[in-house]
Amino acid sequence: MSFVTENPRGGCVLAGINSVLGAIHRVCPILHSGPGCCMQTTAADQGQSGHKHACFVSGVSIPSSNMLEKEVVFGGVNKLRSTIKGATEVIDADAYFVLTGCTAGIIGDDIVSVTDEFADEGIKVYPIETPGFAGDSNLGYEVIWNTFIDKVIKPASKKDEKLVNILGIIPYHDPFWSGTFEEIDRILSKLGLKVNTFFTKHQGIETIETCSEAALNIVVNPWLMKGPCEKFEKKFGVPYIRFPGLPIGATDTSRFVRQVAEALNLDKGFVEKVIKEEEDYVYSYLAQSIGQLSWKRFAVAGDAASAVGITRYLANDYSFTPVLVVITEPIFRPEDKERIISEVSSLEYATAPKIVFASDQWEINQAIRNEPEEITLLVGSTNEKEVALEKEIQFLNATFPMNERLVFNRTYSGYRGSLTFTEDLYDNL
């Protein structure tokens, strides 16, 4: 039985992959698809992410074969070949990834044989079978990492006990991704670690190729990347840990730091010294604002990682009362739902809120609109602004999609990001 989802958050698999590739330095996607896929997949994720777009090859400038009726009937490999040739001659990228849209996926064009021709000439061109009907943006993130593991990452010639890879934060699908990576990098660097974020510091294809040298993969997400991380560990011997949500504020960020430190067997005394310094920094500012924000009964609507982090920060660090949490991603595995529910429910200073899993905007609005308990603060996406105005409650746009804010390197995550979050709460009184 078919159904319609109102205001889906993000786009298809192709949109998710485009967002990932668009955030990697000097990497060029090449679309083998219909003429509308380039603009639509860009609009679906990058176009709703705080008005920040890919800068090396902008979303609407991606080379594309622009398949029409002729290619559907007779096949499009010849047109793809000429498109790749033109892209490699005009765009000076370090690597190219050929992505198939629904049209190419349906007719079954053999893109591998075409990309192999260029690979034989020493050009880094990688094929990815990505018909949009295969899934959503979240799956696109996992698909690209599976491709990296299968085709791009090289076996480690040496291991670096201080190198870690950060996974689970999807560029553009999280509007604060740049700042979040920078804050996590800053914190882990204080522990003496070297950090592969893959999407900041102009890290490019060489960083991906050598990331098997890392000692640990750190997944900052309650449900993504299970399959790719297990494959990564089996192929390259790099174990992974999962922090089940964005660490926001001193409580959860210190928990995150201790989990990483334990996995890498870092010196406990030194780790606690770093934690003490960071917590003192945060609390010294929060102490100056006591009483500025009145007590709130809040609801959160957003992707699982953001919803978990925001709920735990407001309840544990700011003593607000959680009433309702709406997880707006389609979560299918029972184990993932249980992990999310556990994180949202196990609060230090508050009773567990009602938890709803809904990806349809009508269902999300109904959950907020019909909540019998009073809500005085709603933290959500641009899509929830209307219901907040209807209920005449304070609203903060803090989750994807985000259409009314410009975001460069701001973040709500980590120690310092939580101060930014608190400032924004005050600005939206």
Side-chain angles (χ1 to χ4, degrees):
M1 180 178 178
S2 63
F3 62 91
V4 175
T5 299
E6 180 182 337
N7 286 359
R9 300 180 185 228
C12 62
V13 171
L14 189 58
I17 295 176
N18 268 348
S19 292
V20 174
L21 295 177
I24 302 174
H25 186 54
R26 291 182 54 80
V27 162
C28 176
I30 300 173
L31 269 59
H32 186 41
S33 66
C37 290
C38 175
M39 182 172 291
Q40 293 302 321
T41 57
T42 298
D45 274 64
Q46 297 177 39
Q48 301 187 78
S49 185
H51 302 284
K52 184 166 76 271
H53 298 274
C55 58
F56 179 68
V57 179
S58 67
V60 294
S61 303
I62 296 172
S64 174
S65 61
N66 290 334
M67 300 177 71
L68 299 175
E69 290 87 348
K70 178 182 177 181
E71 286 73 43
V72 173
V73 175
F74 298 105
V77 291
N78 290 331
K79 195 169 188 181
L80 173 62
R81 184 179 292 109
S82 63
T83 301
I84 297 174
K85 186 175 186 297
T88 57
E89 290 175 350
V90 173
I91 300 174
D92 181 25
D94 293 333
Y96 307 82
F97 288 82
V98 177
L99 320 176
T100 56
C102 294
T103 306
I106 291 171
I107 67 175
D109 270 355
D110 181 10
I111 67 169
V112 176
S113 62
V114 180
T115 56
D116 283 348
E117 296 173 15
F118 292 88
D120 291 342
E121 298 176 6
I123 302 173
K124 293 179 180 179
V125 181
Y126 303 98
I128 311 179
E129 301 283 356
T130 56
F133 53 74
D136 66 0
S137 302
N138 292 305
L139 179 60
Y141 179 75
E142 293 197 345
V143 167
I144 190 66
W145 269 104
N146 278 320
T147 300
F148 290 159
I149 294 165
D150 293 337
K151 304 177 186 297
V152 180
I153 301 172
K154 302 174 182 178
S157 57
K158 62 183 185 306
K159 286 289 185 179
D160 188 337
E161 295 181 354
K162 297 297 185 181
L163 180 64
V164 297
N165 300 321
I166 305 298
L167 307 170
I169 301 168
I170 307 179
Y172 300 103
H173 204 62
D174 177 351
F176 299 105
W177 63 272
S178 294
T180 298
F181 278 126
E182 290 178 2
E183 173 68 354
I184 291 175
D185 189 356
R186 182 190 70 81
I187 295 166
L188 296 183
S189 295
K190 286 192 69 172
L191 299 177
L193 301 177
K194 291 177 281 185
V195 183
N196 284 335
T197 67
F198 305 105
F199 307 112
T200 59
K201 302 182 293 188
H202 291 310
Q203 292 184 335
I205 199 69
E206 289 186 4
T207 301
I208 296 169
E209 290 174 344
T210 58
C211 70
S212 60
E213 297 176 359
L216 185 67
N217 285 330
I218 304 171
V219 181
V220 186
N221 194 286
W223 69 280
L224 280 173
M225 291 296 287
K226 177 183 178 182
C229 280
E230 289 176 350
K231 180 190 290 189
F232 201 118
E233 184 170 6
K234 182 177 181 180
K235 186 172 183 178
F236 300 113
V238 181
Y240 78 97
I241 61 172
R242 178 184 300 279
F243 190 81
L246 288 172
I248 300 177
T251 300
D252 269 8
T253 307
S254 294
R255 174 184 163 210
F256 168 75
V257 169
R258 291 187 178 102
Q259 184 178 347
V260 173
E262 182 179 358
L264 294 171
N265 197 28
L266 302 181
D267 180 79
K268 290 184 179 180
F270 175 71
V271 170
E272 292 302 320
K273 179 176 179 293
V274 171
I275 289 174
K276 183 178 180 181
E277 291 175 355
E278 291 294 324
E279 289 186 348
D280 178 69
Y281 182 90
V282 171
Y283 291 140
S284 66
Y285 279 105
L286 289 181
Q288 299 175 51
S289 64
I290 295 298
Q292 297 304 310
L293 274 173
S294 59
W295 174 68
K296 299 288 183 181
R297 298 175 57 84
F298 69 92
V300 179
D303 62 277
S306 298
V308 167
I310 290 169
T311 300
R312 291 181 60 83
Y313 172 69
L314 290 178
N316 289 340
D317 292 51
Y318 227 80
S319 299
F320 285 2
T321 299
V323 175
L324 173 68
V325 175
V326 184
I327 307 300
T328 59
E329 293 167 324
I331 310 292
F332 300 105
R333 291 186 297 246
E335 64 188 80
D336 295 329
K337 285 191 174 183
E338 292 171 4
R339 187 181 302 112
I340 294 166
I341 291 170
S342 175
E343 286 297 309
V344 173
S345 301
S346 57
L347 305 173
E348 294 185 31
Y349 306 114
T351 57
K354 180 189 296 183
I355 303 170
V356 174
F357 291 86
S359 55
D360 179 87
Q361 191 60 48
W362 185 86
E363 294 180 2
I364 294 168
N365 287 347
Q366 287 296 96
I368 298 168
R369 183 180 289 119
N370 298 330
E371 171 55 45
E373 293 193 43
E374 182 187 20
I375 298 172
T376 58
L377 166 66
L378 174 59
V379 182
S381 74
T382 298
N383 294 353
E384 283 74 57
K385 183 175 181 179
E386 182 178 345
V387 73
L389 291 171
E390 176 187 317
K391 293 177 70 70
E392 298 183 339
I393 57 177
Q394 180 187 349
F395 172 74
L396 175 61
N397 184 189
T399 63
F400 180 89
M402 185 177 290
N403 297 328
E404 299 177 356
R405 303 179 64 183
L406 176 63
V407 178
F408 288 133
N409 63 343
R410 293 169 67 82
T411 183
Y412 291 160
S413 297
Y415 293 106
R416 299 189 178 186
S418 67
L419 297 177
T420 302
F421 182 34
T422 308
E423 289 174 343
D424 286 357
L425 284 173
Y426 183 86
D427 288 344
N428 283 274
L429 284 175

